[in-house]
Amino acid sequence: MAKSKPSKTASAEEKIKEAARHVFTKKGYAATRTRDIAEEAGINLALLNYYFRSKEKLFGIVMEERMAQFFGLITPIVNDVNSTLDRKIELIVSYYVDMLLQNPDLPLFIMSELRHDSDLFRKFQVQNLIINSHLILQLKEKQPSIHPLHFVVSILGLTIFPFIAKPIIQSTDALNSQMFAAMMEERKKLVPKWAKAMIKVK
Amino acid sequence: MAKSKPSKTASAEEKIKEAARHVFTKKGYAATRTRDIAEEAGINLALLNYYFRSKEKLFGIVMEERMAQFFGLITPIVNDVNSTLDRKIELIVSYYVDMLLQNPDLPLFIMSELRHDSDLFRKFQVQNLIINSHLILQLKEKQPSIHPLHFVVSILGLTIFPFIAKPIIQSTDALNSQMFAAMMEERKKLVPKWAKAMIKVK
DNA sequence: AAATAAATTAATCATTTGATTAATTTATTT
DNA sequence: AAATAAATTAATCAAATGATTAATTTATTT
C-alpha cells in the first residue's frame, strides 16, 4: 500500500495531473520534483513530459485549477444582487470552511506561489472582481466611515487564517485533527456573528 | 547599483547572514540558491560553506532568528499578569502591524517553512506558550461559553492575514503600497475595537 | 621581518533534476 | 492480419546546484 489518489482505471495523463495537484499544492513549485509526481502517479517520468511538455506547463495547469477553486467560490456570492449583506457573509464563511476542510493546503499554496509568480492574478483579476462587487456596495452603505475593503479582508482573515496557521495551532496534542475541524465548524456561526458586530462598531 | 543590505564594512560572515535572511525569507528554502545568497552578499560562494558549512545550517540559523522575531513579540504581552485584556489586544495588534510593515514577508515565510519542517515549533513550543498564557485566562473569564483559542486565532488573523494576502490586495493599481500601509495603520485602532465587540457578542 | 593562521578565490566534483531519445509495447485503423 | 499510430519504458543528456579542494592573498602572532 502506498498510492491513494490516482485510481487504477484513470488514464496516465489524468493520474499525472492528479498527482501533480497533490504534490504541487502540498510542497509548492520549487520544492516539487517531477520524479515525486511520477512516482506518486505510478508512471514513468518520461510520460510527464510526453503529456505536459514541462514541469512549468503542468504547474500552470494545476495553478489555474487551484486559483479557480479558491476564488471561484467567492465570486458568485459577492456579486449576487439579490442576497442581503448578512446572507453573503454567512455563505462566504460556510463555503470556505467546507472547502478548506477538504483542501487545507490551498490558501498557503495560493499565497506562496502568487508572491513569486505575480502574473497569475493579473489574469484572474481577483482584486477588481471584489472591489466592484455588490458586497462592497452593501458594506459601504451600512458603514460609510470605514473602507469596505477592511471588512472583506477581515471576514476572509477570520475564515482563512486558521487554516494557514494550522501547523502552529496543531503543534501540540492539545488540539488534534478532529478538534480543529470541530472548531472550524463552530466558526461557521461565530464569524458571521462577529462580522455583523464589527460592522456596527463605532 | 544592485546591493543594498550588506554594508561595505560588515564582515563577510555577517554579509552572508544578512543576505541569507533576505533571500530565504523572500523566496523560501527550496527556491533559494546558495549562489543567490553569495551574489547578494557580494562574496565568493565558497565562503558560505566556509562559515556555515551548508545551506541547511545557514537556513537553520535564519529560521531560528525569524521564529524568535515572530513569536517573541507576542510572548511577553500575552503573559503579562498586570495588563488588562483590552490592553493586551491593543499591544498585540500595534506591535505586529509595526513589525510586519517592516517585515511583510515574515508570516508567509514562517507558515510555509513550518509546514514542511514540523520539528521547528516543537522546539519553540509556540502553542503551549499561548495556551497557558494569562491572556487565555482573561478571555475565558470574560466569555466562558466560547473556546478562548477562537479569539486568539481571530485577533491574529485580523492582524496578520492582510500581510499574507498582500499580493492579492495589491494586485491592482487600486491600492498602492502607501495606501496599504495606511490601511494597516488604521487597523491598529480598528482591530482592537472589533475584538472587544466580538468578545461581547452572544 | 619571519612564521603562522585566517580569509578569500578560482576551479572542480558529485548529485540532483528537468528533459530528451531511441527502442519497445500496446492500441487503433485500414 | 498488416500497417499505422499512440503509449510506455529504460537509458541518457545537459544544466543546475550544493559542496569541496588546492592555491593565493591578507591578517595576526611571534
Side-chain angles (χ1 to χ4, degrees):
Chain A
M1 59 154 307
K3 318 293 145 48
S4 54
K5 290 291 183 60
S7 77
K8 205 119 197 177
T9 56
S11 71
E13 188 173 353
E14 189 49 47
K15 281 194 279 187
I16 294 167
K17 221 195 270 183
E18 185 57 30
R21 283 187 195 103
H22 181 234
V23 179
F24 275 136
T25 307
K26 190 174 171 191
K27 315 216 299 180
Y29 179 80
T32 294
R33 306 289 99 107
T34 52
R35 282 165 176 82
D36 299 341
I37 297 174
E39 192 186 0
E40 178 160 327
I43 54 94
N44 187 290
L45 173 60
L47 281 185
L48 189 152
N49 297 91
Y50 178 76
Y51 284 114
F52 299 96
R53 294 206 60 83
S54 70
K55 178 191 179 185
E56 208 174 338
K57 287 253 174 49
L58 177 55
F59 176 78
I61 291 169
V62 171
M63 190 66 188
E64 272 206 38
E65 278 186 20
R66 293 305 199 193
M67 290 280 286
Q69 186 177 11
F70 192 75
F71 295 109
L73 202 62
I74 201 176
T75 313
I77 301 174
V78 301
N79 287 302
D80 182 355
V81 292
N82 294 317
S83 61
T84 64
L85 174 59
D86 286 1
R87 181 69 183 142
K88 282 192 181 66
I89 295 172
E90 286 165 15
L91 284 177
I92 291 170
V93 177
S94 174
Y95 281 20
Y96 264 109
V97 167
D98 283 340
M99 193 263 278
L100 295 178
L101 281 173
Q102 300 297 317
N103 304 275
D105 290 331
L106 196 51
L108 211 42
F109 170 72
I110 299 263
M111 304 300 169
S112 297
E113 300 301 333
L114 274 190
R115 188 160 47 111
H116 304 124
D117 184 356
S118 52
D119 289 331
L120 264 161
F121 32 25
R122 227 160 286 158
K123 183 173 180 179
F124 273 79
Q125 299 264 328
V126 177
Q127 177 69 329
N128 288 327
L129 197 125
I130 289 173
I131 280 196
N132 307 321
S133 70
H134 189 243
L135 171 65
I136 290 285
L137 293 178
Q138 289 174 308
L139 286 167
K140 217 179 288 186
E141 190 187 346
K142 204 155 231 167
Q143 181 57 276
S145 62
I146 295 177
H147 196 309
L149 208 52
H150 269 305
F151 295 117
V152 175
V153 171
S154 296
I155 292 163
L156 293 178
L158 289 169
T159 308
I160 297 170
F161 181 78
F163 291 89
I164 294 174
K166 197 182 174 189
I168 296 169
I169 298 174
Q170 291 198 337
S171 63
T172 64
D173 335 291
L175 202 77
N176 60 38
S177 208
Q178 292 102 34
M179 287 169 69
F180 178 85
M183 284 194 76
M184 294 310 109
E185 286 292 337
E186 284 176 11
R187 289 179 85 86
K188 284 189 190 174
K189 293 200 169 180
L190 287 173
V191 172
K193 249 183 242 173
W194 291 339
K196 287 163 203 169
M198 287 166 54
I199 295 168
K200 277 191 198 129
V201 160
K202 191 195 181 175
Chain B
M1 64 154 309
K3 318 293 146 46
S4 55
K5 291 290 183 59
S7 76
K8 205 120 196 179
T9 57
S11 70
E13 187 174 354
E14 189 48 48
K15 282 194 279 186
I16 295 167
K17 221 196 268 182
E18 185 56 31
R21 283 187 195 102
H22 181 232
V23 180
F24 276 136
T25 307
K26 189 175 171 190
K27 315 217 298 182
Y29 180 81
T32 293
R33 306 288 97 108
T34 52
R35 281 166 176 80
D36 299 341
I37 298 174
E39 193 186 0
E40 179 161 328
I43 53 94
N44 188 289
L45 173 60
L47 282 185
L48 189 151
N49 296 92
Y50 177 76
Y51 285 114
F52 300 97
R53 292 207 62 82
S54 70
K55 178 188 179 186
E56 208 174 338
K57 288 252 174 51
L58 177 56
F59 176 78
I61 291 170
V62 171
M63 189 67 188
E64 272 205 40
E65 278 185 20
R66 293 306 199 191
M67 290 280 287
Q69 186 177 11
F70 192 75
F71 295 109
L73 203 61
I74 202 176
T75 314
I77 302 174
V78 301
N79 286 303
D80 181 355
V81 292
N82 295 315
S83 63
T84 63
L85 173 59
D86 287 359
R87 181 71 183 139
K88 283 192 181 65
I89 295 172
E90 285 166 15
L91 284 178
I92 291 171
V93 177
S94 173
Y95 281 21
Y96 264 109
V97 167
D98 282 341
M99 194 263 277
L100 295 179
L101 281 173
Q102 299 297 318
N103 305 275
D105 289 330
L106 196 51
L108 211 43
F109 170 72
I110 298 264
M111 304 300 169
S112 296
E113 299 302 332
L114 275 189
R115 188 160 47 113
H116 303 125
D117 183 356
S118 51
D119 289 331
L120 264 161
F121 30 27
R122 227 161 285 159
K123 183 173 181 180
F124 274 80
Q125 299 264 330
V126 177
Q127 177 69 329
N128 287 328
L129 197 124
I130 289 174
I131 280 196
N132 306 320
S133 69
H134 188 243
L135 171 66
I136 290 285
L137 292 178
Q138 289 173 309
L139 286 168
K140 215 180 287 184
E141 190 189 346
K142 204 154 228 169
Q143 182 56 276
S145 62
I146 294 178
H147 195 308
L149 208 51
H150 269 304
F151 294 118
V152 175
V153 171
S154 296
I155 293 162
L156 293 179
L158 288 169
T159 308
I160 297 170
F161 181 78
F163 292 89
I164 294 175
K166 196 183 174 188
I168 296 169
I169 298 174
Q170 291 199 336
S171 64
T172 65
D173 334 291
L175 203 77
N176 60 38
S177 209
Q178 291 101 35
M179 287 170 69
F180 178 83
M183 285 194 76
M184 295 309 109
E185 286 292 338
E186 285 176 11
R187 289 179 84 85
K188 283 189 191 175
K189 292 199 168 180
L190 287 173
V191 172
K193 249 182 241 173
W194 291 338
K196 287 162 202 168
M198 287 165 54
I199 295 168
K200 277 191 197 128
V201 162
K202 191 191 180 178

